[in-house]
Amino acid sequence: MKSIIMGVALTLAAALIGAYALVLSGLIPANADAKPGRLETWMARTSLDATLRRDAPKDPNPVALTDQNLINGVHLFAQNCAVCHGSEKGIASLSPIAKGLYQKPPQFATDGVEDDPEGVSFWKIKHGIRLTGMPSFRYSLSDRQIWTLALFLKHMDKLSPAVQQTWQQVQNWPVTSVNQVVRK
């Protein structure tokens, strides 16, 4: 029995030393344009799913579903999210920032999140997602603003004409005129 325990301990120690050496070798890519391995992808997805099940709010969104609140959500999206998550034009209009991110951020007009519970969207916006380009907005947006964004994301596939008109005006990247010249 003692030899079995010793064998297991030595095997675990060898595995830890091997993993440590692999990390130190630089053979595990750290660059944003490299595809992660299956183990890394599984660990990240499993951890995110477990965290969302445990921590995402389950209560209903405290922000009422009104056109004005949806318009406020569109404006918040334009100011904080569109540069990565796009405009109503969807995948056809990826910004230079979105093109360079790994993982590619979903373009919400085409890769919608309307089926996500609003509490999940709230949690992702508030806390961000580690090892992706998704930042935490907990220090720059109030909870009410985050809930307003979650409201817009939940209903972005069924907007009234007034809200749709506002959504169509969102640009995901600053447009500069050919006549504007940057001088140093």
Side-chain angles (χ1 to χ4, degrees):
M1 181 65 157
K2 191 173 188 181
S3 63
I4 292 175
I5 293 173
M6 184 61 120
V8 169
L10 286 174
T11 301
L12 286 174
L16 287 173
I17 290 169
Y20 182 71
L22 183 62
V23 170
L24 286 180
S25 73
L27 293 174
I28 299 174
N31 46 317
D33 57 355
K35 185 176 180 180
R38 287 183 183 159
L39 179 61
E40 181 182 354
T41 301
W42 174 83
M43 287 172 41
R45 173 61 52 206
T46 302
S47 177
L48 177 61
D49 290 345
T51 300
L52 290 171
R53 275 193 308 277
R54 185 188 68 227
D55 292 343
K58 311 282 187 286
D59 296 334
N61 189 334
V63 177
L65 178 58
T66 65
D67 273 6
Q68 186 57 56
N69 284 335
L70 287 170
I71 288 171
N72 293 343
V74 171
H75 290 301
L76 286 165
F77 185 90
Q79 294 167 351
N80 298 284
C81 314
V83 69
C84 292
H85 294 292
S87 66
E88 64 89 28
K89 293 172 187 68
I91 201 79
S93 67
L94 281 173
S95 73
I97 290 176
K99 287 178 184 177
L101 284 174
Y102 191 88
Q103 304 171 357
K104 294 284 183 235
Q107 300 301 292
F108 290 150
T110 50
D111 308 323
V113 292
E114 299 87 358
D115 57 339
D116 286 357
E118 289 177 74
V120 167
S121 294
F122 174 88
W123 188 95
K124 289 177 180 179
I125 296 165
K126 184 169 184 168
H127 299 288
I129 302 174
R130 186 182 300 236
L131 303 177
T132 72
M134 180 63 192
S136 165
F137 284 94
R138 83 179 307 161
Y139 302 109
S140 53
L141 297 176
S142 68
D143 279 359
R144 178 162 180 84
Q145 289 172 312
I146 295 171
W147 278 116
T148 302
L149 273 166
L151 180 77
F152 166 64
L153 294 175
K154 181 69 175 178
H155 299 280
M156 67 186 305
D157 63 339
K158 46 189 170 293
L159 301 173
S160 71
V163 180
Q164 184 65 37
Q165 182 179 12
T166 304
W167 175 222
Q168 289 172 346
Q169 295 171 14
V170 171
Q171 294 184 10
N172 63 357
W173 189 251
V175 176
T176 58
S177 168
V178 175
N179 297 328
Q180 291 177 329
V181 177
V182 178
R183 300 186 194 261
K184 293 183 181 184

